[in-house]
Amino acid sequence: MKKFLAWALIALPVLAACENEDELNDENGTASVSVEVSMKSIAGEWFVNEPERGRSGIETLTIQENGSFVLEIENSYVDPTLQTLIVNNFKHVEGTFELDGTILRGTVSKAQSKYAVWEQGRYVGLSDWEEDTHELPDNAEVVLVRSGSVMLLRSEFGTVMYFKKGVQLPNDISELQGIWFSFEAYKAGDEKVNIAIKMNGDNIDVIVEPWAQRFICKYTYKDGIIASFGEVTFRTLWREDGCDDFDYDDPWAAAWHPTYDPQQYTGNLTDGFSFPFVVDGSKAYSMFVGNSPVFIKQ
């Protein structure tokens, strides 16, 4: 199934900062207009979906102007044998938000969950509500992009991206064209490429430096989500007797090989992938397999 970041806050730092000015000209001369953060501008129904083959994670966050919120998280999959949608669990969280400038602080007043119930190997639905817990970050910076249609919550846990229901979401594949790099600081003052993405038409070529892996295929772009389409071609820097060097200046110039062991080593994303990718000027925001990178257009 397609690999996708779970919709939980993740324990990784944000790799680059956002500008806070109302209007900035990026290096390409494209104006990036932000939206003032207020309880009115963040009020509404926000969602993130996990568009996998056979598996789905849906998270909905509803915020009222008075600060009260409801968060609902559903995780489900299609059982290939039973050909039935199985809801693994469903979580309901209530609480209140306080907004101090652009810093959002939340308090949970109620959290409960339901879980899948099986009887003699047959799925019969969800259990009754059970009391649960849910942790929120102490401080989450709110950033609104794309005229307020996309909300980023940035905290010590990383970044969570939400799309606003009922508005026009990014669908223009022309915005994605070209080469995009995200960077990671391996030591003070030394940032190196850790994810490289090249998009040409509906072709995508993804390199993940920490894995020494590369994935080439077709893709679709809908409502801010990039999703692989069709067969994924896998390449690696690993050989049976070692690993070739990564080229940080031009990641595609490295010595990429087919797998040396098709039975055991086939790559982390060869069965497909999907991830949000929202362009804002010369930057793009994403959540990608346990990370929350900011990509820079090259």
Side-chain angles (χ1 to χ4, degrees), residues 186-198:
Y186 287 80
K187 59 183 179 180
D190 183 20
E191 284 193 337
K192 294 183 177 179
V193 176
N194 69 331
I195 304 172
I197 299 177
K198 181 189 295 183

Side-chain angles (χ1 to χ4, degrees), residues 31-53:
S32 176
V33 181
S34 63
V35 174
E36 181 183 0
V37 174
S38 65
M39 288 307 305
K40 182 176 181 179
S41 63
I42 69 171
E45 191 171 356
W46 303 85
F47 72 98
V48 282
N49 288 344
E50 181 181 352
E52 292 189 358
R53 297 190 194 108

Side-chain angles (χ1 to χ4, degrees), residues 30-254:
T30 302
S32 176
V33 181
S34 63
V35 174
E36 181 183 0
V37 174
S38 65
M39 288 307 305
K40 182 176 181 179
S41 63
I42 69 171
E45 191 171 356
W46 303 85
F47 72 98
V48 282
N49 288 344
E50 181 181 352
E52 292 189 358
R53 297 190 194 108
R55 185 172 295 272
S56 177
I58 302 173
E59 183 171 327
T60 303
L61 174 62
T62 303
I63 304 174
Q64 304 296 334
E65 285 193 43
N66 64 6
S68 63
F69 74 85
V70 174
L71 172 65
E72 293 185 324
I73 306 170
E74 178 183 299
N75 292 296
S76 60
Y77 67 96
V78 175
D79 187 290
T81 302
L82 302 176
Q83 290 296 304
T84 301
L85 179 67
I86 307 298
V87 179
N88 252 350
N89 53 72
F90 184 86
K91 190 169 192 175
H92 177 94
V93 181
E94 298 179 14
T96 55
F97 283 135
E98 291 185 6
L99 191 62
D100 181 8
T102 61
I103 302 300
L104 193 67
R105 300 183 179 93
T107 301
V108 174
S109 57
K110 179 181 181 180
Q112 51 186 184
S113 295
K114 294 182 177 184
Y115 301 94
V117 176
W118 296 80
E119 294 180 358
Q120 298 180 339
R122 184 172 63 91
Y123 175 70
V124 296
L126 290 170
S127 66
D128 294 333
W129 288 110
E130 300 179 20
E131 295 302 311
D132 204 346
T133 60
H134 190 81
E135 184 179 359
L136 294 173
D138 293 332
N139 297 288
E141 181 189 9
V142 181
V143 179
L144 296 172
V145 298
R146 304 291 298 220
S147 301
S149 63
V150 179
M151 178 169 65
L152 308 174
L153 298 183
R154 303 168 5 140
S155 73
E156 68 273 21
F157 295 124
T159 299
V160 177
M161 180 186 298
Y162 289 98
F163 298 99
K164 195 164 192 177
K165 283 194 174 180
V167 302
Q168 180 66 42
L169 297 177
N171 287 293
D172 186 0
I173 198 172
S174 68
E175 295 183 330
L176 310 183
Q177 304 304 297
I179 293 174
W180 300 83
F181 287 169
S182 73
F183 299 87
E184 184 172 357
Y186 287 80
K187 59 183 179 180
D190 183 20
E191 284 193 337
K192 294 183 177 179
V193 176
N194 69 331
I195 304 172
I197 299 177
K198 181 189 295 183
M199 286 176 275
N200 181 13
D202 62 352
N203 298 295
I204 188 169
D205 194 328
V206 179
I207 292 174
V208 184
E209 184 273 341
W211 302 344
Q213 295 182 8
R214 178 181 175 187
F215 311 93
I216 308 163
C217 60
K218 299 286 187 179
Y219 74 101
T220 60
Y221 187 60
K222 180 175 174 57
D223 294 339
I225 301 292
I226 288 175
S228 62
F229 178 76
E231 182 180 357
V232 178
T233 298
F234 171 62
R235 293 291 181 264
T236 178
L237 295 178
W238 285 98
R239 310 181 311 271
E240 192 168 6
D241 59 348
C243 184
D244 286 311
D245 291 335
F246 189 81
D247 188 327
Y248 289 98
D249 294 325
D250 182 359
W252 289 275

